[in-house]
Amino acid sequence: MTLYIGREASKLWKRICAETATEINLLLDNWKYVLAGLFFQYIHGLAAHGVHYLHRPGPTLQDLGYFLLPELGQDKAYISEMVFTFVFLSFALWTLHPFIFKSKKIYTVLVWCRVLAFLVASQILRIITFYSTQLPGPNYHCREGSKLARLPKPSNVQEVLLINFPQGVVYGCGDLIFSSHMIFTLVFVLTYQKYGTRRCIKQCAWLLAIIQSLLIVASRKHYTVDIAVAWYTVNLVVFFVNKKLPELPDRSNGNSPVLLPLSTKDKDSKTKEENHKLLNGNSVDHADWP
């Protein structure tokens, strides 16, 4: 038994090392895309903080979702955050599964490059919408009488650039017409729908997305229109971005990892290299070695 555990542990360690080497090479090739996507998350947060200065509290708008769904209350607003955290962590762990499991379909770096592309495109549209029209926030801290509903004029540029973290992120107002949580949730669900392999998990993911939508409305964090816009806009963004980007390599077919199209010269060189490896009995995908 001890010998078996030791042998399997050795195989797992070799697999992790091989996968790490592969992913590092991919990251070296695509670090600009990853860095740009991560930097835009800050830009998105900065834009959401900036619109808070323009927010003017007022009566909550008439909303069908508010009539149909009972209000959870301020003390239960954390429930939707817990669901979102679960979705986020579950997706992040799934993208890391190639480091552990022998059977794998994706490359972690390439999947996150695509996810960040989806997020950036959706967030650009979100920024345009909430700067185009400012609505009175329905959240409790955005209503009339709350000290957090209005922000005083910033005393310096640093105050704006630092986004008053973390309070400025948690207690934002004015970034409506497009739910940020639903952007992340739907991007994760759609990505797993395409690259995941477990049908039951796909079904559960869509169920969680629906539950998340209802909880956001019941928590009065967004109007129902914010959720509706996110549902059809994110799906359209993912569809059109997928059409523009090259398809990710399927590791089960032994394809080599490439994010952007190669030139003809690079393709010929790549093909000769792969043929040479195959003739010598080597697999193209070293990360699947036991």
Side-chain angles (χ1 to χ4, degrees), residues 45-244:
L46 183 63
H49 182 62
V51 80
H52 196 167
Y53 290 102
L54 304 177
H55 178 255
R56 296 295 177 265
T60 303
L61 302 180
Q62 183 174 336
D63 190 283
L64 180 62
Y66 293 176
F67 286 110
L68 298 178
L69 294 174
E71 188 171 352
L72 285 179
Q74 194 169 2
D75 58 328
K76 296 181 180 178
Y78 68 90
I79 298 177
S80 64
E81 295 297 329
M82 289 180 60
V83 173
F84 175 75
T85 302
F86 175 77
V87 172
F88 186 94
L89 293 178
S90 298
F91 181 81
L93 289 175
W94 170 73
T95 62
L96 296 175
H97 82 271
F99 289 88
I100 306 297
F101 298 101
K102 186 176 181 180
S103 176
K104 61 200 78 178
K105 185 179 179 181
I106 63 167
Y107 291 95
T108 302
V109 171
L110 298 188
V111 164
W112 276 107
C113 283
R114 186 154 296 216
V115 166
L116 288 171
F118 297 152
L119 291 176
V120 169
S122 300
Q123 288 166 342
I124 288 174
L125 295 176
R126 181 172 189 260
I127 292 171
I128 292 173
T129 56
F130 63 61
Y131 270 105
S132 299
T133 303
Q134 287 85 46
L135 301 178
N139 211 334
Y140 301 101
H141 63 268
C142 298
R143 298 177 184 179
E144 291 180 302
S146 172
K147 295 180 180 180
L148 301 173
R150 291 172 178 257
L151 286 182
K153 291 183 179 180
S155 56
N156 52 64
V157 177
Q158 184 179 1
E159 183 181 336
V160 178
L161 295 179
L162 293 180
I163 320 179
N164 192 22
F165 187 85
Q167 185 177 358
V169 176
V170 178
Y171 296 103
C173 296
D175 53 333
L176 300 172
I177 316 180
F178 214 149
S179 170
S180 179
H181 278 38
M182 288 310 301
I183 290 177
F184 279 89
T185 299
L186 290 171
V187 164
F188 293 161
V189 171
L190 289 167
T191 302
Y192 187 82
Q193 176 69 30
K194 184 170 185 178
Y195 300 110
T197 56
R198 303 288 183 181
R199 184 179 178 184
C200 60
I201 296 180
K202 294 179 181 181
Q203 295 171 341
C204 289
W206 283 112
L207 179 61
L208 280 175
I210 295 173
I211 293 174
Q212 172 80 349
S213 301
L214 298 176
L215 285 173
I216 290 174
V217 175
S219 301
R220 304 303 189 252
K221 294 180 179 179
H222 278 276
Y223 293 109
T224 307
V225 67
D226 303 337
I227 306 301
V229 169
W231 268 90
Y232 68 74
T233 305
V234 174
N235 276 278
L236 287 173
V237 166
V238 171
F239 174 78
F240 285 109
V241 172
N242 267 326
K243 297 282 282 185
K244 292 294 183 180

Side-chain angles (χ1 to χ4, degrees), residues 6-19 98-104 251 281 283 285-290:
R7 185 168 63 249
E8 291 302 314
S10 177
K11 289 182 179 180
L12 177 60
W13 177 248
K14 289 180 180 179
R15 190 176 303 129
I16 292 175
C17 291
E19 189 66 28
F99 289 88
I100 306 297
F101 298 101
K102 186 176 181 180
S103 176
K104 61 200 78 178
R251 300 189 71 172
S283 172
D285 190 356
H286 298 285
D288 282 335
W289 284 4

